[in-house]
Amino acid sequence: MSAIESFENVIIKHFLESFFLFNYIDKNNVIIDFGSGPGFPGIPLKLLDSSLNIIFIERNQKKIAFLNRIISDLKLFKCVVFQDISEIYWLNDKKYNVVSMATAEYEKIIKLFNKYLIYINKFSLIVSNEINSIDKYNYLIHSINLLNRKISY
C-alpha cells in the first residue's frame, strides 16, 4: 500500500506527519482526505479525535477496500470513502478542510480543488521530498497561500 516499508519510516513519514496536521485543521469542519492511499493522514487524525467527520477520496479499488476494512475493524464512525471528488454532496451550510499527503501530482490537486473553494475552509498538504527544487517549493507555497487566501473570511 505504501512505498515506505521500514517500521521507523512508517511512523515518521506517515503517522507523525499526519499528527502534525492535527493542529492546523478546524475540528468542527468536515475533513476531506484527498488521495488517501492506505488512510494517511485521515486515519491518524481520526484516531486522535474520534469526533472528526472524515471523507476519504481514493481512486484505487484495492486501497478503497483496505480503507473500508480499516474503518470497519476499528469501528470508526463518521467516515466515508468515495472514489472521486465529484461523489461528494457539497453542502452550503458545512465547511470543509482538505488534507493530503502531497505526491508529485500536487499541482493537479491544487487545480482540482479550485472549483470547490466556496466550500473549503482550509487547504493543507504534507509535501514529501519530491519537491526537489526551490522553484517547485515556491510554486507550491504560493499556490496554497492563494487558495487559503481565497477561502479565508
Side-chain angles (χ1 to χ4, degrees), residues 80-94:
V80 64
V81 181
F82 291 122
Q83 189 167 14
D84 193 88
I85 192 168
S86 64
E87 296 178 67
I88 297 174
Y89 181 70
W90 297 90
L91 300 172
N92 286 326
D93 62 336
K94 292 217 179 262

Side-chain angles (χ1 to χ4, degrees), residues 15-56:
F15 281 95
L16 292 181
E17 288 181 355
S18 298
F19 292 158
F20 174 78
L21 273 182
F22 189 74
N23 295 318
Y24 295 95
I25 60 171
D26 184 335
K27 281 70 169 179
N28 297 316
N29 293 345
V30 176
I31 309 300
I32 297 174
D33 180 354
F34 184 77
S36 304
F40 296 101
I43 296 292
L45 292 173
K46 185 69 172 176
L47 294 174
L48 285 174
D49 184 346
S50 63
S51 71
L52 292 176
N53 187 346
I54 301 183
I55 297 172
F56 296 90

Side-chain angles (χ1 to χ4, degrees), residues 1-142:
M1 290 282 161
S2 171
I4 299 171
E5 294 179 2
S6 79
F7 180 75
E8 181 179 298
N9 284 337
V10 168
I11 297 300
I12 293 169
K13 295 297 282 175
H14 288 317
F15 281 95
L16 292 181
E17 288 181 355
S18 298
F19 292 158
F20 174 78
L21 273 182
F22 189 74
N23 295 318
Y24 295 95
I25 60 171
D26 184 335
K27 281 70 169 179
N28 297 316
N29 293 345
V30 176
I31 309 300
I32 297 174
D33 180 354
F34 184 77
S36 304
F40 296 101
I43 296 292
L45 292 173
K46 185 69 172 176
L47 294 174
L48 285 174
D49 184 346
S50 63
S51 71
L52 292 176
N53 187 346
I54 301 183
I55 297 172
F56 296 90
I57 306 291
E58 175 55 55
R59 290 194 170 189
N60 182 294
Q61 285 295 332
K62 285 183 182 180
K63 292 176 183 176
I64 290 171
F66 178 80
L67 283 168
N68 282 321
R69 176 72 186 261
I70 289 291
I71 290 167
S72 174
D73 287 355
L74 296 177
K75 297 177 178 37
L76 301 176
F77 299 100
K78 299 197 302 187
C79 290
V80 64
V81 181
F82 291 122
Q83 189 167 14
D84 193 88
I85 192 168
S86 64
E87 296 178 67
I88 297 174
Y89 181 70
W90 297 90
L91 300 172
N92 286 326
D93 62 336
K94 292 217 179 262
K95 283 295 176 186
Y96 301 82
N97 285 179
V98 176
V99 297
S100 183
M101 293 281 204
T103 65
E105 297 182 353
Y106 64 89
E107 292 173 346
K108 290 180 186 175
I109 294 169
I110 290 168
K111 288 177 184 168
L112 175 68
F113 278 98
N114 241 329
K115 62 184 166 185
Y116 299 105
L117 288 181
I118 61 169
Y119 305 105
I120 298 170
N121 193 37
K122 189 177 273 187
F123 189 89
S124 305
L125 293 177
I126 296 177
V127 180
S128 68
N129 58 358
E130 287 148 8
I131 309 303
N132 55 13
S133 77
I134 195 68
D135 290 336
K136 285 184 181 179
Y137 175 79
N138 285 336
Y139 170 81
L140 180 63
I141 295 303
H142 176 71

